[in-house]
Amino acid sequence: MSVVRFGVSLEKNLLDELDDFVKDNFLTNRSQGIRHLINNYLVEKKWQCNNVVSGSITLVYNGHKNDLLIKLTAIQNEYHEIILSSQHFHISEEECLEIIAVRGKSRELTKLADKLRALKGISHGKLAMTIAG
Ligand code: NI
């Protein structure tokens, strides 16, 4: 993709904020910072429009707790149309990490993540959505 250069006028305080953003996110320059911010904005806009997006759901849970695994599987079966794959890691004798790759309408992904996260025994649940559909 070709790159276009353009001049930007900004208030000093906004420029300072941009420089902080670049530094905090380990970006190399202001162009990268602006690119990052525009991308984030576009991703959020896509979610709001309920477009098809790809993403992942990360879950951490105690694998030996009551019927959590049965419930986790039942919900994933229910949403089989938007689940691409899932990977299970045993991170300790007690804890499991599961990463579920998803693709579908942003509202459906959010609903699935909310349902999984609400299960008793899930200690961490996070949905990450991208712009790619
Ligand atoms: Ni496990």
Side-chain angles (χ1 to χ4, degrees):
M1 206 176 290
S2 65
V3 176
V4 180
R5 290 183 67 95
F6 67 100
V8 180
S9 305
L10 274 183
E11 286 77 10
K12 174 78 172 78
N13 61 330
L14 273 181
L15 188 62
D16 291 342
E17 294 277 4
L18 177 64
D19 287 339
D20 286 346
F21 177 82
V22 167
K23 210 173 101 200
D24 292 347
N25 288 280
F26 308 104
L27 303 171
T28 47
N29 53 49
R30 289 171 177 163
S31 291
Q32 249 195 334
I34 290 172
R35 197 175 295 129
H36 205 83
L37 289 168
I38 294 173
N39 270 328
N40 283 352
Y41 169 76
L42 291 175
V43 168
E44 278 186 26
K45 213 168 119 188
K46 268 201 156 191
W47 298 349
Q48 283 161 8
C49 295
N50 203 25
N51 284 7
V52 171
V53 293
S54 305
S56 64
I57 300 168
T58 304
L59 301 170
V60 175
Y61 55 88
N62 185 316
H64 310 281
K65 231 174 222 173
N66 51 52
D67 54 354
L68 176 60
L69 277 180
I70 295 168
K71 285 179 182 166
L72 270 175
T73 307
I75 293 173
Q76 292 192 48
N77 276 351
E78 191 189 329
Y79 284 84
H80 65 92
E81 282 178 356
I82 59 171
I83 294 178
L84 301 170
S85 79
S86 71
Q87 212 165 4
H88 184 111
F89 305 90
H90 312 295
I91 49 176
S92 72
E93 284 182 17
E94 297 277 296
E95 277 192 310
C96 299
L97 167 71
E98 195 160 319
I99 299 170
I100 306 165
V102 285
R103 180 179 176 273
K105 289 190 170 181
S106 53
R107 280 195 207 119
E108 285 295 296
L109 303 193
T110 306
K111 210 193 289 174
L112 169 61
D114 287 347
K115 277 192 183 182
L116 293 170
R117 203 166 24 212
L119 290 175
K120 200 176 164 205
I122 301 283
S123 54
H124 174 86
K126 185 140 180 85
L127 167 67
M129 291 194 278
T130 69
I131 200 162

